[in-house]
Amino acid sequence: MNAIQQAQRAYAPVNSPVMTGRATELKLFSQTTARLRAAQKSGRFAEIAEALFQNRRVWTHLAAEVADSANELPSTLRAQIFYLAEFTEHHTRAVLKGEADVAALLDINTAVMRGLSGNSGAAPDAASQPQPADRGRETVR
């Protein structure tokens, strides 16, 4: 490849889809859940602790978002998300102490991914890429 071809490739327009807030949240949950599942399978504490930390960060952010009075989600849904964030925090501590396993956290994340994908039936594959289309549904933001 010569210098002209390299320059053309470097400055070519990028064809990446614009993701909606909902699709971004689905992708984040998908990545976080896949990491948590892989850590669980590995059985290595350091890997599990790191995946739990990432999962806790996601839920802490969600809790802050739904606690904001400017959040446009229905108050009932906001309360449910906040409760799940509190449960996730409590259960994460129990997992780190060796008093629980990550299965409940995986179940919660999978249920949230189902809701974000508009699929209340089968669980989405945690490694799959979300579709960029929003389908007009509200996001947690």
Side-chain angles (χ1 to χ4, degrees):
M1 184 179 292
N2 65 32
I4 294 172
Q5 289 171 326
Q6 288 177 336
Q8 287 173 335
R9 177 178 267 172
Y11 292 103
V14 178
N15 291 331
S16 61
V18 175
M19 293 181 66
T20 63
R22 186 180 195 91
T24 302
E25 290 168 352
L26 179 58
K27 183 177 180 180
L28 177 62
F29 266 101
S30 178
Q31 291 170 342
T32 302
T33 304
R35 186 172 182 183
L36 197 54
R37 189 171 282 120
Q40 178 190 36
K41 286 180 183 177
S42 79
R44 291 188 291 264
F45 183 78
E47 217 174 297
I48 293 168
E50 184 63 35
L52 288 169
F53 175 74
Q54 179 183 1
N55 191 57
R56 188 186 311 193
R57 286 181 60 195
V58 169
W59 281 100
T60 299
H61 177 76
L62 285 175
E65 289 290 321
V66 298
D68 184 353
S69 61
N71 188 293
E72 296 178 7
L73 288 175
S75 60
T76 304
L77 180 57
R78 290 172 48 205
Q80 290 169 339
I81 292 170
F82 194 85
Y83 169 78
L84 287 173
E86 287 181 324
F87 175 85
T88 299
E89 177 68 30
H90 175 75
H91 195 78
T92 296
R93 279 186 259 137
V95 173
L96 290 171
K97 290 178 187 176
E99 299 169 353
D101 65 14
V102 300
L105 300 174
L106 290 169
D107 289 345
I108 290 169
N109 285 8
T110 301
V112 169
M113 290 187 321
R114 271 190 217 118
L116 288 169
S117 68
N119 180 5
S120 59
D125 179 11
S128 68
Q129 293 296 322
Q131 296 298 316
D134 188 22
R135 293 190 297 260
R137 299 180 192 250
E138 295 177 308
T139 65
V140 174
R141 297 200 191 318

